Amino acid sequence: MKRLAKTFPLLALPVLLASCEKEITVDLPDTPERLVVEGTIEPGRPPFIILTRTQSYFAPTDVNTIASIFVGGATVVVTDNGVPHTLQQICSGDLTEEEIQQAAALTGLDPALLSSANICIYTSTDAATFGVAGHTYRLDISAEGKTLSSTTSIPQPVPLDSVWFKLAEQRPNDDTLGYAWARLTDPDTMGNSYRWMARRISHRANGETEDPTFISPLGTTFNDKYINGLTFDFNAIRGRQFYSDQPEDQNDEAGFFKVGDTIAVKFLSIGRKEYDFYTTYDNNVGSTGDIFSTPANVKTNIDGGLGIWAGRGVYMDTIICR
Amino acid sequence: MPGYFWRRFRTDMHLRLPLSGLALLFACALHAQDRFTVSGYVNDSTSGEALIGASVFVQEIQKGVPTNTYGFYSVTLEAGTYTFVVRYIGYADLQRTVVLNADRKLNLLLRPTVTEMKSVEVVGEKRVSNTESTAMGRMDVDVQKLQTLPALLGEVDILKTIQYLPGVKSNGEGNSGFYVRGGGPDQNLILLDEATVYNASHLFGFFSVFNADAVKNIELIKGGMPANYGGRTASVLDITMKEGNSKEFHGQGGIGLISSRLTLEGPIVKEKSSFIVSARRTYIDVLTKPLINKDSQFAGSGYYFYDINAKANYRLSDKDRFFLSGYFGRDVFTLKGNEPGSPDFNIPWGNATVSGRWNHVFGPKLFMNTTATFSDYKFRFDGGQDEFKFKLFSGIKDYGLKVDLSQYPNVRHSLKYGAQLIRHIYTPSTVDVSSGDTEFNIDTPSKLNANELAVYAMDEFDITDQLRMTAGVRLSAFAHIGSFREYLLDDEGNATGTRDYGAGSTVKAYQGLEPRLALRYRLDNTSSLKASYNRNLQYVHLASFSSIGLPTDVWIPSGKNVKPQVGTQYAAGYFRDFADHLFETSVEVYYKDMENLIEYAEGAQPQDNGNTNYDAQLVFGNGYSYGAELFIKKRTGKLTGWVGYTWSKTMRKFPDINDGKEFPSRWDRRNDLSVVASYELNKRWTFGATFVYSTGQATTLPVQRYWIEQRLVSQFSERNGFRMAPYHRLDLAATLLNKETKRKKDPVTGEVTEVPRKYRSSWTFAVYNAYNRSNPYFIYFDTEGSIGNGDLRVVAKQVSLFSVIPSVTWNFHF
């Protein structure tokens, strides 16, 4: 729905007007740095916390500068039902190449970045920290003289009735490209929110997994405000890793799944604050350069900082595209 | 000025004005012995069109009155012999000796001094001297003369010309949206033959809905709004359509780069009734279709708009006259989604207005106009992709009835009083979504009904020969009435239940007093001082998700949470004419206070508007604006035109936006300069030029970045905390008129003579943005490359819309 509302004016202008673009220099005011949390906890998995800092918009973008946004040495405590667990700091410099691939899959970080710089995140190997659906988790972080806190709950997962691949037939005689489809029966109680993630787990010729991590295409977060208790079908395009330079992200196949792909589907159930975060996040990221939208900051559930601490109920399924 | 003064002034006004208004009404009834009245109409002698605002001047007493919107005037004088001089720019002065020993009816015909399509005067013209009336911040635009000014793609546009006037800001490059003295887009009352036009633009604001060929007169009131207007806080744009030539059949039209126009007019019954029909359609779709590659992203997409104006009038007698006019326009935009996940759309939207009017002259001193109006703005959006279907409707419909009486008891007083009733029917965004056979359960919000009522009285009173006062008061009331379903919301905004209001029951009602006062003190024959105060209430609001004004913007009523907007304006000015009224100059200063403005909350989303109250996503705040405006105009001669300069500041303050801190409005521009010139070289060539300069537009930019899920997130600065580069542009035009006469050979004598042409045509060549300035339209930040490859770059980009755009238009007239 949002996609519809957003694209309509955007596409109108280029049809009619020859606009031109040029690069300019903009002097931005100095703004105090803030800490950013990207934390998730899912059933059967330990919490993962990536702690970074904001940068001036035009700060350099070399690997060292990017690596310097990751905040190490923080005290990160996750409290489950009154029992605090202090998370361990794990740095990519201490990992083997194979472990880096696993870390990338779990955290969503770029494997190339993990190998080229020492990036630290916070997690635990203690099974007592693993998420349980229905539990509420408090997060406390102290780093660089700042304290941050938040709470989240893991909602009960909602299964998809079925998932499948269907040709998009967007171009004539195209019999390979399509979208992932799913049928959802929303529970009869109001207040369910969802987020779609998918990952191609089939391999490339060189043995690499096609997508190193799960990706959520922008605009795939929704709630049951209009669909409460209904059974309906929806589809999703193929998301693209921000850092991807794979040919299928540059050519006509961008956005499509393809016959031959195997897709792991991760369907998330989230709470209201998490829904607010992900929708405003999608909007913020997706509206770059869109004059028709009013600029808006991403809503956060972190006191004292930015970002998200998200408990996520997880339903997993697999699609073989044929 | 100290705050307590404003408060005192305001309180005083509220208490005293209504009383003084009443006192005046009684005072006027006392005179009128041994006095007689001359009344009648002033019309064009060739076409029969009524002349609005012509000056009927009585030499012996050195006083004059202007004709009203229907060309009617009335002067009451003591018995005697008088010399009447009737003046109107572009027409020969008419002098009549009137022996007054009884009430007289005197219809006056003025002869145009120049043939049409030739320009002596450009726009911004006033017929009664600027220093004479109490009017401040008021501008007339003579549409006939617009064609010699340069226009984007050759499309003559009334609203864009208005933007050249001081105190009026444009909404960015090529946009016809206008903003008056710090007011928002919903604060302009746009009337087409007295019917409200809710969305005055085509094509996302690039063209206005007014076809200049069908329009006779335009008046913009940006301050000192008289009491007969109400319902908006910033300005009134009163557009009068032509009546049609009542003597002969005529046509005119034009072929331009993107559209063509045709207008036909003539008598139905000679001298009794006439008609005019004017139509326009763009053909960008037709022109671009063959150029768009079948495999392109835009294949199958198209856009066009059209509009039709029609008007007819019938003169039953000298006392009764009927007018029926209508406008219908539609934009249709079709988009084929050829990108992954992008759907197909079909989006039609547009306005329709109808107004029926009855002029009745009760006696030489009392003129009545009764108007019934209908206006309708509709927006529809049909989209779909695969099994997913999406429909959205919104709109507003008005039924209005208005009675206005003008009374001219004696030459010192001119009274107006009347009443107005409007029934508004709002369709807030209504969505209908389905996927396959499953209909999503989106409540269809009940239409929102509201009644708006106003009564007013005003008097234009010459207290002394130097001091003239226009005092008025308007009492307005508004009620949001059922049927209405209110959603009961919890703290998070989730609906927990509903409350239903029955049909006709009052959901919420408001009323208020709107005092208006304008004073003119004449210093001498060529200069005067003026001051005005007005308080306006506005019960309708425009909720906009975008910052540029889109057809998706939704009109909503005042109601339980949305309070009426209040605009209070104080203005003062010095007006002076030079060189025997050849130059007209003015300096005006104003301060304006705005309360109960609305905005969508930060991060509000259109799709969240369903299944909740229509105002659930809105936040409320206040604003103020102050400024100084300079205006210098050359009225007649080969070179005509004006220079307008505005210095102003416009701020907004919303508790829920920008952390409650004051921020500049999007239309806050410190400096704004416009130069408009037209030069008539000879009978065939006329040149036009316009130049504008304004302070860069305020915009909100990200100041910090951070990363979530490996995507770049922008952290924004203070609202509108950044300025784009200044905007400036020069446009040029040249108009070549064909020869006035042609050679004709007498078949009998063989003698060759020059005879006047029946068909006249002209070519207008124009260049938009002559020196190719890359004016910023918007700025955005983007990333290129990837972190992994080490070539990631964050860049700021400025988008400019129009480079040099030449155009040619062919116009004809017969």
Side-chain angles (χ1 to χ4, degrees):
Chain A
M1 215 178 300
K2 178 198 307 179
R3 228 160 45 213
L4 285 165
K6 286 184 69 72
T7 20
F8 130 67
L10 250 181
L11 296 181
L13 285 174
V15 181
L16 302 152
L17 310 162
S19 62
C20 68
E21 247 181 37
K22 68 173 181 188
E23 225 175 285
I24 54 164
T25 323
V26 175
D27 284 329
L28 295 175
D30 281 335
T31 319
E33 179 185 297
R34 301 176 73 180
L35 293 183
V36 182
V37 176
E38 183 182 342
T40 58
I41 182 158
E42 294 171 1
R45 270 181 30 159
F48 289 99
I49 311 290
I50 303 167
L51 188 63
T52 56
R53 68 184 105 240
T54 58
Q55 283 176 298
S56 165
Y57 213 95
F58 293 107
T61 45
D62 57 283
V63 173
N64 288 335
T65 317
I66 295 292
S68 74
I69 66 170
F70 290 87
V71 178
T75 307
V76 180
V77 181
V78 171
T79 308
D80 175 11
N81 204 14
V83 184
H85 303 278
T86 301
L87 303 190
Q88 302 152 241
Q89 174 172 306
I90 293 178
C91 299
S92 62
D94 304 333
L95 302 178
T96 64
E97 190 52 39
E98 197 178 326
E99 286 169 328
I100 281 180
Q101 292 303 326
Q102 287 170 3
L106 288 167
T107 58
L109 290 170
D110 181 358
L113 178 67
L114 292 175
S115 347
S116 54
N118 189 28
I119 306 293
C120 299
I121 63 144
Y122 303 87
T123 184
S124 176
T125 49
D126 180 359
T129 66
F130 289 10
V132 178
H135 280 210
T136 299
Y137 297 89
R138 187 185 158 84
L139 174 71
D140 288 282
I141 298 174
S142 68
E144 302 183 340
K146 298 185 176 99
T147 56
L148 287 71
S149 66
S150 181
T151 51
T152 189
S153 298
I154 302 180
Q156 294 297 336
V158 176
L160 293 168
D161 299 349
S162 55
V163 289
W164 66 95
F165 169 80
K166 196 173 120 189
L167 290 176
E169 293 170 343
Q170 197 109 12
R171 293 181 188 89
N173 309 320
D174 173 13
D175 54 4
T176 57
L177 303 178
Y179 303 122
W181 283 80
R183 176 164 298 169
L184 171 68
T185 300
D186 178 68
D188 209 11
T189 47
M190 272 302 274
N192 294 92
S193 300
Y194 305 102
R195 188 160 205 250
W196 163 278
M197 297 185 97
R199 176 187 179 194
R200 291 173 299 164
I201 50 174
S202 31
H203 296 276
R204 296 179 193 282
N206 64 4
E208 278 177 17
T209 312
E210 281 183 296
D211 290 328
T213 64
F214 280 96
I215 311 161
S216 189
L218 296 180
T220 53
T221 302
F222 58 100
N223 66 11
D224 63 355
K225 190 174 176 189
Y226 304 123
I227 50 155
N228 189 37
L230 296 179
T231 299
F232 69 100
D233 298 344
F234 66 93
N235 66 2
I237 64 166
R238 180 170 64 79
R240 170 187 183 275
Q241 293 286 13
F242 169 73
Y243 49 79
S244 166
D245 49 10
Q246 299 294 349
E248 73 270 21
D249 287 323
Q250 323 293 335
N251 61 24
D252 280 355
E253 294 178 19
F256 293 107
F257 292 104
K258 194 177 184 180
V259 168
D261 288 345
T262 302
I263 310 166
V265 174
K266 183 172 177 180
F267 189 63
L268 305 175
S269 293
I270 53 175
R272 168 78 195 203
K273 285 203 163 118
E274 292 75 10
Y275 166 83
D276 285 345
F277 168 81
Y278 285 117
T279 48
T280 53
Y281 162 81
D282 280 6
N283 216 42
N284 183 296
V285 173
S287 64
T288 306
D290 176 5
I291 191 195
F292 297 98
S293 68
T294 314
N297 285 324
V298 176
K299 289 185 185 170
T300 177
N301 68 347
I302 310 289
D303 288 334
L306 298 169
I308 184 67
W309 169 227
R312 318 199 286 198
V314 176
Y315 168 80
M316 299 285 292
D317 210 331
T318 309
I319 303 174
I320 294 167
C321 303
R322 54 181 164 219
Chain B
M1 229 175 270
Y4 86 88
F5 177 82
W6 291 126
R7 279 195 295 280
R8 262 302 293 278
F9 188 52
R10 225 183 311 189
T11 334
D12 282 6
M13 283 300 160
H14 292 197
L15 290 175
R16 284 180 196 165
L17 262 176
L19 295 175
S20 59
L22 279 177
L24 288 174
L25 284 177
F26 288 116
C28 312
L30 294 177
H31 304 273
Q33 287 142 8
D34 292 309
R35 288 165 182 271
F36 301 103
T37 305
V38 186
S39 65
Y41 290 91
V42 178
N43 295 74
D44 179 307
S45 66
T46 56
S47 68
E49 290 275 346
L51 300 180
I52 302 171
S55 159
V56 180
F57 190 78
V58 185
Q59 246 166 9
E60 286 73 10
I61 59 164
Q62 286 292 303
K63 274 196 194 325
V65 293
T67 56
N68 74 7
T69 319
Y70 305 92
F72 182 81
Y73 75 95
S74 167
V75 196
T76 300
L77 303 162
E78 286 171 13
T81 303
Y82 296 97
T83 312
F84 277 44
V85 182
V86 190
R87 289 198 185 97
Y88 194 76
I89 287 286
Y91 289 79
D93 288 3
L94 178 73
Q95 196 161 324
R96 279 287 188 90
T97 306
V98 178
V99 180
L100 203 58
N101 46 22
D103 284 353
R104 283 198 58 178
K105 207 160 284 151
L106 183 64
N107 291 340
L108 301 156
L109 293 174
L110 294 193
R111 192 169 42 81
T113 48
V114 284
T115 49
E116 271 181 83
M117 295 182 69
K118 215 188 299 170
S119 154
V120 171
E121 277 306 304
V122 212
V123 287
E125 193 42 68
K126 281 195 189 75
R127 292 88 185 189
V128 178
S129 166
N130 212 8
T131 56
E132 166 77 13
S133 74
T134 57
M136 297 185 63
R138 221 187 277 196
M139 304 279 174
D140 291 306
V141 177
D142 192 339
V143 194
Q144 304 273 25
K145 314 292 160 60
L146 284 184
Q147 276 172 355
T148 56
L149 290 180
L152 174 61
L153 291 162
E155 291 294 299
V156 173
D157 197 316
I158 290 162
L159 296 188
K160 283 184 201 155
T161 311
I162 279 170
Q163 296 168 355
Y164 295 133
L165 299 171
V168 183
K169 315 259 185 217
S170 87
N171 189 14
E173 180 81 87
N175 201 294
S176 64
F178 67 101
Y179 304 88
V180 179
R181 289 185 171 172
D186 59 343
Q187 296 176 351
N188 303 317
L189 178 63
I190 303 178
L191 298 173
L192 181 63
D193 273 356
E194 304 195 36
T196 310
V197 177
Y198 278 98
N199 185 330
S201 69
H202 284 301
L203 183 59
F204 314 109
F206 291 113
F207 302 101
S208 80
V209 300
F210 303 108
N211 177 351
D213 287 352
V215 171
K216 171 156 78 172
N217 189 69
I218 296 169
E219 186 182 30
L220 176 74
I221 304 172
K222 53 185 182 167
M225 202 187 288
N228 54 327
Y229 293 108
R232 297 291 188 283
T233 56
S235 80
V236 177
L237 181 67
D238 197 348
I239 298 173
T240 311
M241 272 168 61
K242 282 182 194 162
E243 288 148 28
N245 195 311
S246 61
K247 308 198 171 188
E248 290 174 315
F249 182 80
H250 281 287
Q252 74 177 92
I255 295 172
L257 283 183
I258 64 158
S259 83
S260 284
R261 298 163 278 122
L262 180 67
T263 301
L264 299 172
E265 57 179 319
I268 302 171
V269 180
K270 225 173 185 176
E271 311 275 335
K272 263 204 153 125
S273 73
S274 61
F275 77 95
I276 181 166
V277 180
S278 186
R280 166 171 78 149
R281 191 199 191 276
T282 62
Y283 33 69
I284 322 167
D285 53 331
V286 185
L287 293 178
T288 53
K289 223 157 224 171
L291 303 176
I292 295 175
N293 192 308
K294 277 200 181 62
D295 297 327
S296 121
Q297 195 184 336
F298 302 114
S301 302
Y303 170 85
Y304 65 91
F305 72 73
Y306 63 90
D307 41 33
I308 301 162
N309 286 280
K311 187 168 178 176
N313 71 86
Y314 181 71
R315 196 173 303 179
L316 185 69
S317 67
D318 238 13
K319 287 193 152 92
D320 292 287
R321 209 163 168 197
F322 297 92
F323 301 85
L324 184 66
S325 51
Y327 166 84
F328 186 85
R330 281 288 177 271
D331 284 53
V332 181
F333 179 47
T334 321
L335 190 69
K336 292 270 181 246
N338 301 334
E339 288 285 287
S342 66
D344 296 343
F345 311 111
N346 181 35
I347 309 157
W349 73 91
N351 294 280
T353 69
V354 180
S355 54
R357 287 183 287 180
W358 169 39
N359 284 178
H360 180 73
V361 181
F362 279 107
K365 294 180 183 180
L366 189 60
F367 180 93
M368 182 196 70
N369 175 52
T370 303
T371 313
T373 58
F374 167 76
S375 42
D376 185 25
Y377 171 69
K378 265 196 196 98
F379 173 80
R380 203 178 85 227
F381 182 114
D382 289 330
Q385 182 221 337
D386 237 303
E387 295 177 28
F388 184 73
K389 298 275 176 284
F390 177 91
K391 282 183 190 152
L392 187 142
F393 321 87
S394 67
I396 179 166
K397 202 180 278 188
D398 277 7
Y399 297 92
L401 187 66
K402 193 159 81 97
V403 180
D404 298 296
L405 288 144
S406 307
Q407 197 179 347
Y408 309 93
N410 61 50
V411 80
R412 283 193 179 277
H413 286 279
S414 164
L415 291 161
K416 278 186 190 167
Y417 38 92
Q420 182 175 21
L421 178 66
I422 306 171
R423 160 57 74 94
H424 301 281
I425 301 162
Y426 303 82
T427 309
S429 286
T430 303
V431 258
D432 186 11
V433 184
S434 62
S435 176
D437 295 333
T438 313
E439 282 277 329
F440 286 21
N441 42 21
I442 301 170
D443 288 358
T444 307
S446 45
K447 293 195 172 181
L448 304 170
N449 294 289
N451 289 330
E452 187 171 354
L453 174 73
V455 291
Y456 72 89
M458 59 184 276
D459 183 16
E460 196 169 315
F461 175 25
D462 278 325
I463 300 169
T464 68
D465 282 349
Q466 280 76 40
L467 185 63
R468 178 184 287 183
M469 171 175 82
T470 304
V473 64
R474 188 177 175 93
L475 176 66
S476 59
F478 185 90
H480 174 201
I481 56 169
S483 345
F484 175 59
R485 167 167 291 181
E486 183 188 0
Y487 291 85
L488 306 169
L489 305 177
D490 65 15
D491 292 344
E492 282 193 338
N494 300 312
T496 56
T498 56
R499 180 190 300 155
D500 285 305
Y501 291 83
S505 64
T506 304
V507 180
K508 180 76 188 174
Y510 294 97
Q511 72 277 320
L513 214 48
E514 306 175 39
R516 317 278 173 86
L517 178 71
L519 296 166
R520 180 267 286 149
Y521 186 81
R522 186 147 54 185
L523 300 168
D524 55 46
N525 249 347
T526 56
S527 64
S528 59
L529 286 171
K530 299 184 189 183
S532 72
Y533 162 85
N534 55 293
R535 179 179 196 259
N536 294 22
L537 295 173
Q538 175 169 342
Y539 300 100
V540 299
H541 318 259
L542 187 66
S544 176
F545 275 108
S546 74
S547 44
I548 61 157
L550 283 182
T552 45
D553 297 351
V554 179
W555 287 92
I556 57 162
S558 293
K560 276 207 137 170
N561 303 308
V562 186
K563 294 196 186 80
Q565 297 183 42
V566 186
T568 312
Q569 192 182 152
Y570 312 85
Y574 174 68
F575 293 72
R576 175 149 190 193
D577 290 355
F578 291 96
D580 194 22
H581 303 288
L582 181 62
F583 289 95
E584 200 175 272
T585 63
S586 65
V587 183
E588 291 188 46
V589 292
Y590 73 91
Y591 176 87
K592 186 151 96 184
D593 193 49
M594 293 165 270
E595 292 168 59
N596 305 329
L597 304 175
I598 69 165
E599 291 261 7
Y600 274 111
E602 279 177 25
Q605 296 294 320
Q607 68 266 31
D608 293 334
N609 266 345
N611 295 8
T612 188
N613 294 326
Y614 70 91
D615 52 16
Q617 294 202 81
L618 298 175
V619 293
F620 308 97
N622 297 328
Y624 65 85
S625 177
Y626 54 83
E629 298 162 3
L630 283 145
F631 191 58
I632 302 167
K633 188 170 79 176
K634 184 165 180 289
R635 287 158 60 101
T636 51
K638 285 203 154 208
L639 177 71
T640 57
W642 73 83
V643 179
Y645 169 76
T646 310
W647 182 95
S648 65
K649 183 171 179 173
T650 303
M651 302 296 280
R652 297 279 191 265
K653 193 171 171 112
F654 282 64
D656 298 315
I657 295 179
N658 205 34
D659 299 323
K661 279 181 289 183
E662 197 173 278
F663 60 92
S665 139
R666 186 178 150 83
W667 310 290
D668 174 53
R669 275 159 231 173
R670 206 66 70 241
N671 297 292
D672 210 327
L673 174 76
S674 308
V675 181
V676 173
S678 177
Y679 182 73
E680 194 193 350
L681 181 70
N682 54 39
K683 284 193 167 182
R684 297 191 61 197
W685 280 102
T686 305
F687 298 93
T690 54
F691 173 77
V692 288
Y693 172 92
S694 66
T695 303
Q697 188 165 304
T699 185
T700 311
L701 289 181
V703 281
Q704 289 186 317
R705 64 175 197 222
Y706 59 97
W707 302 84
I708 298 268
E709 289 188 0
Q710 293 282 291
R711 293 187 182 110
L712 184 138
V713 181
S714 303
Q715 183 71 12
F716 290 95
S717 68
E718 296 196 350
R719 177 73 71 103
N720 291 338
F722 184 84
R723 292 276 165 186
M724 300 200 268
Y727 183 99
H728 49 90
R729 196 188 77 229
L730 174 72
D731 302 338
L732 301 168
T735 301
L736 173 66
L737 191 66
N738 71 350
K739 278 190 183 152
E740 221 170 336
T741 55
K742 60 180 177 192
R743 287 163 163 270
K744 197 179 172 189
K745 195 173 171 183
D746 192 305
V748 184
T749 61
E751 195 185 346
V752 178
T753 51
E754 294 277 322
V755 295
R757 263 178 216 271
K758 209 167 174 212
Y759 292 82
R760 303 300 307 274
S761 67
S762 69
W763 290 94
T764 300
F765 309 93
V767 183
Y768 183 88
N769 195 3
Y771 57 85
N772 197 18
R773 157 90 175 160
S774 294
N775 281 305
Y777 188 57
F778 67 104
I779 291 175
Y780 72 98
F781 293 175
D782 203 2
T783 50
E784 291 171 354
S786 79
I787 311 175
N789 293 346
D791 62 353
L792 181 76
R793 284 181 70 229
V794 181
V795 291
K797 285 184 177 167
Q798 172 184 301
V799 177
S800 304
L801 279 190
F802 302 120
S803 49
V804 181
I805 298 186
S807 66
V808 58
T809 311
W810 182 71
N811 290 311
F812 61 91
H813 175 93
F814 60 85

